[in-house]
Amino acid sequence: MPRVVAFFRNSAQGNLVIQILTTIGIPNDRLGVTPPEQIETGQGMVLSVACPDEKTMARVETICREQGADIHRQRS
């Protein structure tokens, strides 16, 4: 399943996006989080979101970008 991988420089923004995504129906088991403690700089968050289709992927990317994330797509 394709994924959107988003890097947030501020982990609070990443946490907000997690709340928004679960509100719009993205199940928690499709979210992968790398917390600040596991990032080299000790700041930010990496959020990986499995998306079942292109429409969902575009919506997730838009939400992440609105919160200041750097976006990457990953195909499994």
Side-chain angles (χ1 to χ4, degrees), residues 5-60:
V5 180
F7 172 69
F8 296 90
R9 297 186 194 314
N10 182 332
S11 59
Q13 292 168 308
N15 286 324
L16 175 60
V17 168
I18 291 170
Q19 292 175 9
I20 293 169
L21 294 177
T22 56
T23 301
I24 66 166
I26 304 289
N28 283 334
D29 63 350
R30 290 197 184 155
L31 303 175
V33 177
T34 303
E37 303 83 44
Q38 295 179 352
I39 295 176
E40 186 176 326
T41 61
Q43 294 181 355
M45 173 190 289
V46 176
L47 178 60
S48 175
V49 185
C51 300
D53 54 49
E54 281 294 320
K55 183 179 177 183
T56 303
M57 183 173 269
R59 191 168 183 197
V60 168

